[in-house]
């Protein structure tokens, strides 16, 4: 009896000394394989240290794959993910469907009013915020100052696409592994079409007229696509049809591109000597215009959202608050330097002298974000919102299909006229099957 009691008391002493066991919450976070998200994953050990009861599981995917998996999971209420990396396209559409947990009663120390209004608006529906921005971006023209100086060229603050062609010809030097210009060719509504659509806007084009009739057979589309394809054909790197964001970023950072028109978020990476061989040689200008400056640059944000299918929505929201907070920005600055912090989300970042001193591109980034108008980006009226995309659910399939066709044009497998005819037919068929114009 005493022996039995001794065992019981011993077990009790051990149990009391170790305290109650905490139930561990596992959060699965799906994100894109961009540099800033990889940094977030690395620094997330700080969050786990402060939340020992939460364990983070990361699913990091290429952009097109991420979008496919998240769309399937959220539409079927699959519940595979607790935190999703989405953007200005998905947040309002999915929020309207009640597929996302709204961010209400945001903690005061998060300083929500510090988040740029244009970005908040893009992530909201009917006054409800459905995602918080990790970083926001527009577009800019990156160029090699050393190559321009050698060729006796001056990049204007606001170049035209015609000037980009002239510059590309002057600095193109493929025998030494330097190409005049790099642009995305990889198919995808957020890959090559995310870059081509603003070019179309700047030549006076649009995806649809007010009756939802496809407009890809109009002269503005031919002008834009001819400009884009000719630049890559004559002065671009080999295999451009397969190059997406990450590939073109790597090309420029390794010194193989004389110019690159793409996301403003790239500037921090390109000015980091640990990541970029041309860190001290990069110049910045506004994104080019064709015939008009309206709609020539997009607005995008990679944001973090919590699906209603999450089994741990409160824990998921606590992670989202951390990863998009002023404290996280300061943590990145401490670890990687101010030039590398996630840009485009908070006014306080652009009021910070340390950031402005470290990031010569900051004023241009902010200017392009603040002047990108998703509700007025075309010369003629349109029934949709968006600059680089059409804000309807069907555009994921339409944009990707058209992107595949245009990638084939870039690869030389189709002519420009063939590509436009095929894209027009694809878009007409998809929009008709979807029942547009809707009553």
């Amino acid at each position: 009896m005493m022996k039995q009691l001794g065992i019981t008391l011993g077990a009790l002493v051990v149990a009391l000394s170790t305290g109650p066991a905490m139930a561990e919450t596992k959060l699965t976070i799906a994100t894109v394989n961009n540099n800033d998200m990889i940094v977030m994953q690395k620094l997330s050990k700080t969050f786990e240290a402060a939340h020992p009861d939460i364990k983070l599981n990361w699913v990091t995917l290429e952009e097109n794959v991420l979008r496919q998996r998240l769309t399937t999971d959220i539409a079927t209420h699959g519940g595979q993910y607790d935190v999703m990396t989405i953007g200005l396209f998905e947040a309002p559409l999915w929020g309207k469907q009640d597929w996302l947990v709204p961010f209400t009663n945001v903690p005061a120390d998060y300083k929500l009013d510090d988040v740029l209004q244009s970005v908040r608006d893009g992530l909201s529906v009917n006054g409800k915020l459905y995602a918080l921005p990790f970083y926001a971006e527009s577009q800019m023209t990156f160029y090699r100052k050393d190559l321009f100086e050698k060729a006796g060229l001056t990049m204007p603050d606001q170049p035209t696409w015609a000037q980009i062609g002239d510059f590309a010809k002057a600095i193109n030097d493929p025998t030494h592994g330097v190409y005049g210009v790099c642009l995305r060719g990889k198919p995808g509504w957020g890959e090559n079409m995310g870059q081509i659509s603003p070019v179309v806007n700047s030549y006076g084009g649009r995806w649809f007229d007010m009756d939802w009739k496809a407009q890809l057979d109009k002269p503005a589309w031919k002008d834009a696509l001819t400009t884009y394809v000719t630049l890559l054909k004559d002065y671009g790197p080999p295999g451009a049809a397969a190059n997406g964001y990450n590939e073109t970023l790597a090309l420029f950072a390794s010194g193989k591109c004389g110019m690159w028109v793409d996301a403003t978020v790239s500037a921090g990476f390109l000015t980091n000597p640990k990541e970029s061989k041309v860190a001290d040689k990069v110049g910045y200008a506004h994104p080019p215009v064709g015939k008009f400056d309206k709609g020539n640059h997009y607005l995008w944000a990679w944001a973090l959202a919590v699906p209603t299918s999450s089994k741990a929505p409160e824990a998921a929201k606590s992670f989202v608050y951390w990863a998009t907070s002023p404290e996280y920005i300061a943590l990145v600055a401490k670890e990687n330097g101010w030039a590398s912090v996630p840009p485009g989300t908070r006014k306080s970042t652009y009021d910070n002298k340390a950031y402005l001193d470290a990031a010569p591109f900051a004023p241009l980034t902010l200017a392009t974000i603040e002047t990108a108008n998703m509700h007025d980006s075309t010369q003629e009226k349109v029934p949709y919102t968006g600059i680089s995309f059409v804000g309807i659910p069907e555009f994921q399939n339409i944009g990707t299909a058209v992107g595949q066709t245009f990638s084939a044009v870039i690869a030389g497998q189709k002519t420009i006229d063939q590509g436009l005819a095929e894209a027009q037919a694809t878009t007409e068929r998809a929009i008709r099957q979807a029942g547009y114009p809707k009553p």
Side-chain angles (χ1 to χ4, degrees):
M1 180 71 181
M2 288 297 293
K3 185 176 181 181
Q4 290 176 337
L5 181 61
I7 293 172
T8 304
L9 288 174
L12 179 61
V13 169
V14 170
L16 289 173
S17 64
T18 57
M22 289 188 293
E24 186 177 82
T25 299
K26 182 180 178 182
L27 296 180
T28 298
I29 302 166
T31 194
V32 66
N33 64 342
N34 288 353
N35 182 66
D36 290 83
M37 277 61 176
I38 293 169
V39 171
M40 173 173 63
Q41 182 175 349
K42 178 183 175 183
L43 297 181
S44 64
K45 62 181 183 294
T46 303
F47 175 84
E48 289 181 303
H51 300 80
D53 55 328
I54 298 176
K55 177 69 176 175
L56 304 180
N57 175 45
W58 292 86
V59 178
T60 306
L61 301 167
E62 184 270 332
E63 186 172 321
N64 288 338
V65 177
L66 175 77
R67 285 174 165 144
Q68 290 168 359
R69 291 196 186 176
L70 295 190
T71 301
T72 299
D73 186 73
I74 201 157
T76 59
H77 306 288
Q80 291 185 63
Y81 311 108
D82 299 290
V83 176
M84 293 180 164
T85 304
I86 63 173
L88 297 180
F89 175 78
E90 298 92 350
L93 292 174
W94 295 357
K96 192 175 182 179
Q97 294 285 343
D98 293 324
W99 291 347
L100 299 174
V101 178
F103 285 87
T104 54
N105 302 316
V106 176
D109 61 0
Y110 183 77
K111 301 177 183 176
L112 183 60
D113 288 342
D114 184 41
V115 178
L116 294 175
Q117 188 67 50
S118 60
V119 179
R120 273 188 283 159
D121 290 346
L123 298 170
S124 300
V125 178
N126 298 325
K128 282 188 179 180
L129 187 62
Y130 284 97
L132 295 176
F134 182 70
Y135 70 72
E137 66 185 21
S138 184
Q139 287 169 294
M140 66 170 63
T141 301
F142 302 94
Y143 66 98
R144 287 273 300 278
K145 293 187 293 184
D146 58 326
L147 298 181
F148 269 63
E149 183 178 348
K150 182 180 178 181
L153 302 174
T154 301
M155 174 68 78
D157 182 55
Q158 176 59 79
T160 65
W161 279 108
Q163 287 175 314
I164 294 296
D166 292 339
F167 296 151
K169 181 179 181 180
I171 62 178
N172 192 49
D173 189 8
T175 58
H176 292 94
V178 177
Y179 303 93
V181 64
C182 292
L183 300 166
R184 295 193 217 182
K186 187 176 186 176
W189 70 264
E191 283 281 9
N192 60 354
M193 293 315 302
Q195 305 300 310
I196 293 172
S197 291
V199 185
V200 172
N201 296 337
S202 80
Y203 277 98
R206 54 184 174 167
W207 276 88
F208 300 98
D209 68 11
M210 290 299 290
D211 296 319
W212 288 101
K213 292 180 180 176
Q215 301 292 295
L216 286 78
D217 57 355
K218 302 302 185 217
W221 273 85
K222 185 167 184 177
D223 289 345
L225 189 61
T226 299
T227 296
Y228 202 90
V229 171
T230 301
L231 281 169
L232 285 175
K233 177 186 174 184
D234 293 348
Y235 314 117
N243 291 341
Y245 172 74
N246 285 334
E247 291 82 4
T248 48
L249 174 64
L251 282 168
F252 195 99
S254 62
K256 297 185 182 301
C257 305
M259 292 180 293
W260 180 35
V261 181
D262 212 301
T264 53
V265 72
S266 316
F269 182 90
L270 293 177
T271 54
N272 184 347
K274 294 179 181 178
E275 309 282 358
S276 171
K277 292 181 179 178
V278 295
D280 60 343
K281 300 178 176 66
V282 185
Y284 319 95
H286 281 85
V289 297
K291 297 178 179 178
F292 310 99
D293 59 2
K294 184 189 283 190
N296 75 311
H297 59 285
Y298 59 67
L299 176 65
W300 182 255
W302 278 118
L304 302 179
V306 178
T308 53
S309 55
S310 169
K311 300 176 181 63
E314 291 307 312
K317 286 170 75 173
S318 70
F319 175 80
V320 173
Y321 286 134
W322 172 81
T324 62
S325 67
E327 289 73 25
Y328 177 81
I329 290 174
L331 178 62
V332 176
K334 178 183 175 184
E335 295 292 327
N336 296 337
W338 272 106
S340 298
V341 305
T345 59
R346 290 184 172 271
K347 291 178 282 188
S348 57
T349 301
Y350 292 87
D351 292 335
N352 188 318
K353 187 177 184 301
Y355 179 62
L356 296 177
D357 288 345
F361 49 81
L364 180 56
T365 295
L366 186 60
T368 54
I369 287 173
E370 291 184 331
T371 55
N373 188 343
M374 295 179 67
H375 301 281
D376 184 20
S377 63
T378 55
Q379 291 299 306
E380 298 178 273
K381 289 185 178 180
V382 294
Y384 57 86
T385 58
I387 302 173
S388 58
F389 58 80
V390 177
I392 58 173
E394 295 80 7
F395 185 73
Q396 277 190 283
N397 289 333
I398 293 172
T400 295
V402 172
Q404 289 168 342
T405 298
F406 287 176
S407 186
V409 175
I410 292 168
Q413 299 165 357
K414 302 177 190 291
T415 66
I416 289 171
D417 286 340
Q418 288 171 337
L420 287 169
E422 184 177 315
Q424 171 73 8
T426 297
T427 306
E428 279 183 341
R429 183 169 57 251
I431 208 71
R432 185 171 60 250
Q433 290 175 348
Y436 288 83
K438 293 186 181 293

